Amino acid sequence: MKKTRDFGEDTVYFVFYAKLPQDMSATYIHRVVGVGFLINTKTGIIEDVMVTLLSDLCKEFLSHLMVGHNIKDDGIDEIVDKVENRFFGYSQKAVVVAMKGAYRRYVEWERTN
């Protein structure tokens, strides 16, 4: 039996999707890449990341670059720079667009809550 995670009241999930380039294998299965941030809204820390790419290593690596980042205090630019400087997959631009979209959703949520 799979253990379920205990998500506290302060965790909120923000996700955004971006179109993948047509010249990559993942496009045949998914037309978009999704990036989701599980954010502790009290601290602003990204606690977990979801990326809808095929390779487990790719998902793990991108998560490694983002988890622990304080999106509330530090915004999105630092982790965008990390992705642009360390991840050279064909989906890099789409991942960045999805990250920025998820961040905009978080900012909008912050504004209204």
Side-chain angles (χ1 to χ4, degrees), residues 2-113:
K2 186 176 179 177
K3 183 179 177 184
T4 58
R5 292 172 63 171
D6 181 22
F7 297 106
E9 292 294 317
D10 296 332
T11 55
V12 179
Y13 185 69
F14 302 90
V15 66
F16 197 83
Y17 296 89
K19 189 174 180 179
L20 285 167
Q22 294 206 358
D23 59 346
M24 60 180 292
S25 60
T27 306
Y28 296 106
I29 297 169
H30 308 286
R31 292 200 165 109
V32 295
V33 62
V35 173
F37 297 143
L38 183 66
I39 300 174
N40 181 307
T41 58
K42 295 287 187 211
T43 65
I45 300 291
I46 298 175
E47 295 182 344
D48 205 350
V49 172
M50 176 279 304
V51 181
T52 61
L53 294 172
L54 294 177
S55 162
D56 288 339
L57 178 60
C58 180
K59 293 176 195 179
E60 250 184 274
F61 182 67
L62 288 170
S63 180
H64 166 77
L65 296 178
M66 298 178 221
V67 169
H69 179 77
N70 189 321
I71 205 160
K72 184 177 194 172
D73 293 342
D74 301 328
I76 192 79
D77 293 339
E78 183 181 322
I79 55 176
V80 166
D81 287 345
K82 284 182 183 180
V83 170
E84 289 178 341
N85 290 311
R86 296 184 63 192
F87 173 64
F88 292 96
Y90 286 115
S91 60
Q92 182 199 66
K93 287 182 183 181
V95 168
V96 168
V97 168
M99 288 170 58
K100 289 179 178 179
Y103 174 69
R104 283 192 308 272
R105 287 189 152 184
Y106 166 73
V107 169
E108 182 62 32
W109 181 89
E110 274 279 299
R111 196 173 316 149
T112 59
N113 287 287

